[in-house]
Amino acid sequence: MDKTYYFISDLHIGGDEALGVCDYEAELLEFLRKLSVQEEDLELVILGDIFGMWEFTDIEGPQKLQALIGQFPKIFEAFRSAGEKIKITLLPGNHDYEIACYPQFVEVLKNFNVTLEQRPSIVRELGGKKIWVEHGNQHDDFNKMPDFGNPFALPVGYFITSGLVSGAGKRSQFGRNDWLKDIQSVYPTEEIPYWVLSNYFYREMSPWLRWIILPFLVLSGLTTFVLAGGALEWLGITQTNIFLHNGLFTSLGYLGNLVQIVLMVNAVVLLVLAFLFVPLSFILRDIKKTLKRFRLMTHPDEITSGQEKGYLDAAQAVFDNDPDTVVFVYGHTHIPSLRMLGKRAVINTGTWLKRLVRARVRFGYLPDIYVPFYYLDYFRISLVDGAIAIDFQMIPKAQPRELDLLQQILTSMKRRRTEDHIPERTILEV
């Protein structure tokens, strides 16, 4: 019987305090149970970042795995049970890089029927062809291990994660809605300042203060419109005579008077900001150029496309080096995809973490809202009538309902998947 391979990655299980919660634990347990009863010779390959070891800052080395076993006993028992029926192989990622560095991890995970491969990539064979498998961080300058297997040779990404993500996990409980722990779901990391501002306004700001300034922010766009109309009337370009003489709101009575007060305050603020912006604009422009030069300010779409090109180039190099390799599988970037390079496939396994999509609000100049969603998926590669079949499957999960009424009213997009369409089945004729 030909072997069948299942691929998942980037589960990011565990971490300090608030990070010690797995939102998809029930789905993972059921997934492992279903695999264990399949009537096929199968192997589950986990491409790395199954554990959030960088997110532990109070313990070191092999002790992190013991802490994870204590945090998630049901998950480890599910691995033990499923591993009695199927083969489970684990590769190191960057967030769980320690498992590549200490031989003790191999023995501990073996007790749970998990085979740990302490190397950056592996190859699997199917129908005389090869599947290249890796986590993918070795193609990421910020997370590349300079000396793979050395626990003390750590990339820049380690210090960012241990400082930000672990710190967020420790402090999330002090917030109003325990939102800070979701910092690991913010992608790319350049979005973090805007995400923090959004959560401060909608979750942490004093409610009475928020509702006082809300009308001013909501009507800020209308203020610009009224100022432009008034300028046209004052210059004699238009003869409407409704902006300068308040004809636009007089019919609304007291409500119109309140609107006019808000617009007047907004107008003063906008004029002051406009006056200050002139001398500051040159400095701001130069700062942006400097940040872009250091690649610290880039549009999210540019980051995503640039990263993907790097992996496509890496896959092409593997294909060129060995013509029998027809599939390149990686994770790391948390965005599931399937790309074709000629007759060969490049697969990104995505993530099981909660994800956030930035949504513009409907009115005014309010902070954008980050809409949470789950996208649990896996890839299955098998032989079908002599050809290699790549199946993409989604695991159902209830979407989080974390937006309050104000956010739901203001958001400009519904909860939806933002990934490119991935066919349920792709056949490689090689």
Side-chain angles (χ1 to χ4, degrees):
M1 180 183 295
D2 293 310
K3 184 177 284 292
T4 298
Y5 299 99
Y6 288 75
F7 299 94
I8 61 174
S9 74
D10 295 271
L11 305 185
H12 291 269
I13 299 172
D16 286 335
E17 299 193 23
L19 300 177
V21 175
C22 182
D23 294 330
Y24 51 83
E25 181 172 352
E27 288 80 9
L28 178 58
L29 297 180
E30 180 63 13
F31 174 67
L32 292 172
R33 187 196 69 79
K34 286 185 176 181
L35 289 186
S36 67
V37 299
Q38 295 293 321
E39 295 182 356
E40 56 185 355
D41 181 14
L42 69 85
E43 178 180 359
L44 170 64
V45 182
I46 306 175
L47 278 65
D49 278 5
I50 181 177
F51 305 126
M53 290 188 171
W54 275 0
E55 288 78 4
F56 284 107
T57 56
D58 297 327
I59 52 179
E60 298 293 337
Q63 294 179 352
K64 293 185 178 183
L65 185 54
Q66 296 303 323
L68 283 161
I69 295 172
Q71 283 183 341
F72 306 100
K74 292 182 179 180
I75 292 178
F76 280 88
E77 285 304 315
F79 279 124
R80 190 201 304 273
S81 178
E84 294 175 351
K85 307 290 182 59
I86 65 174
K87 182 177 181 180
I88 302 176
T89 301
L90 174 62
L91 282 176
N94 52 302
H95 283 256
D96 52 13
Y97 172 61
E98 282 95 333
I99 65 176
C101 304
Y102 299 94
Q104 298 96 311
F105 283 116
V106 176
E107 294 303 317
V108 174
L109 288 170
K110 186 177 181 180
N111 293 332
F112 293 96
N113 296 319
V114 175
T115 300
L116 172 61
E117 298 278 3
Q118 291 183 306
R119 44 184 172 165
S121 64
I122 59 176
V123 174
R124 292 292 182 262
E125 294 188 0
L126 185 63
K129 300 299 180 179
K130 297 178 183 178
I131 304 171
W132 178 280
V133 186
E134 64 174 68
H135 177 63
N137 62 292
Q138 292 301 92
H139 307 294
D140 178 353
D141 291 339
F142 282 94
N143 291 291
K144 179 180 180 179
M145 304 305 163
D147 181 16
F148 195 87
N150 182 349
F152 304 106
L154 297 170
V156 175
Y158 165 77
F159 302 98
I160 296 175
T161 300
S162 60
L164 286 179
V165 180
S166 176
K170 292 180 177 179
R171 293 171 176 80
S172 184
Q173 60 181 314
F174 301 116
R176 296 183 187 272
N177 300 99
D178 199 23
W179 56 271
L180 194 56
K181 63 180 174 58
D182 290 336
I183 192 172
Q184 59 184 339
S185 299
V186 182
Y187 182 84
T189 55
E190 287 83 353
E191 289 280 303
I192 289 178
Y194 307 103
W195 173 75
V196 171
L197 173 63
S198 174
N199 280 283
Y200 166 72
F201 180 80
Y202 294 109
R203 298 187 177 190
E204 296 296 333
M205 180 180 285
S206 174
W208 65 266
L209 178 59
R210 183 190 305 116
W211 285 104
I212 286 176
I213 67 175
L214 186 63
F216 297 93
L217 295 176
V218 170
L219 295 177
S220 55
L222 181 59
T223 302
T224 304
F225 171 72
V226 172
L227 284 175
L232 292 175
E233 290 181 353
W234 185 71
L235 293 172
I237 298 176
T238 178
Q239 303 298 323
T240 54
N241 202 32
I242 58 175
F243 296 100
L244 293 180
H245 294 84
N246 301 324
L248 192 61
F249 304 105
T250 52
S251 61
L252 299 178
Y254 289 111
L255 178 61
N257 292 333
L258 291 175
V259 171
Q260 289 184 68
I261 292 173
V262 171
L263 294 180
M264 289 176 61
V265 173
N266 276 351
V268 173
V269 172
L270 288 175
L271 291 173
V272 171
L273 291 176
F275 177 77
L276 294 176
F277 180 76
V278 173
L280 291 176
S281 61
F282 296 101
I283 298 176
L284 292 173
R285 182 180 301 178
D286 191 69
I287 291 175
K288 288 181 179 181
K289 288 182 178 180
T290 302
L291 292 175
K292 288 181 179 180
R293 189 163 57 250
F294 283 97
R295 298 183 180 180
L296 296 175
M297 176 178 285
T298 309
H299 192 278
D301 292 340
E302 295 178 359
I303 295 175
T304 301
S305 61
Q307 283 187 334
E308 185 174 53
K309 184 180 183 304
Y311 290 107
L312 294 176
D313 290 344
Q316 187 64 62
V318 170
F319 296 151
D320 292 341
N321 184 61
D322 185 358
D324 288 333
T325 301
V326 296
V327 183
F328 182 99
V329 188
Y330 72 100
H332 185 59
T333 68
H334 295 189
I335 301 177
S337 63
L338 191 156
R339 307 288 187 229
M340 297 300 298
L341 291 178
K343 295 183 178 181
R344 293 170 170 80
V346 182
I347 295 172
N348 186 327
T349 47
T351 182
W352 284 30
L353 277 177
K354 179 191 299 180
R355 295 183 58 190
L356 301 168
V357 58
R358 187 175 181 177
R360 301 290 182 182
V361 299
R362 294 181 183 276
F363 313 107
Y365 296 117
L366 292 161
D368 294 339
I369 297 169
Y370 288 78
V371 181
F373 68 100
Y374 290 103
Y375 195 86
L376 311 187
D377 69 273
Y378 65 90
F379 284 87
R380 177 181 182 271
I381 303 181
S382 61
L383 278 182
V384 176
D385 297 329
I388 293 178
I390 302 173
D391 294 312
F392 175 75
Q393 295 292 327
M394 293 292 302
I395 298 175
K397 179 172 178 56
Q399 296 300 330
R401 297 182 177 275
E402 299 175 358
L403 301 184
D404 60 22
L405 180 60
L406 176 61
Q407 289 174 307
Q408 293 179 42
I409 293 173
L410 294 175
T411 189
S412 62
M413 64 172 63
K414 299 179 180 179
R415 288 186 177 89
R416 61 182 179 86
R417 297 193 300 268
T418 58
E419 287 73 19
D420 293 338
H421 172 70
I422 301 175
E424 291 186 3
R425 169 161 286 187
T426 301
I427 300 294
L428 301 185
E429 300 290 348
V430 293

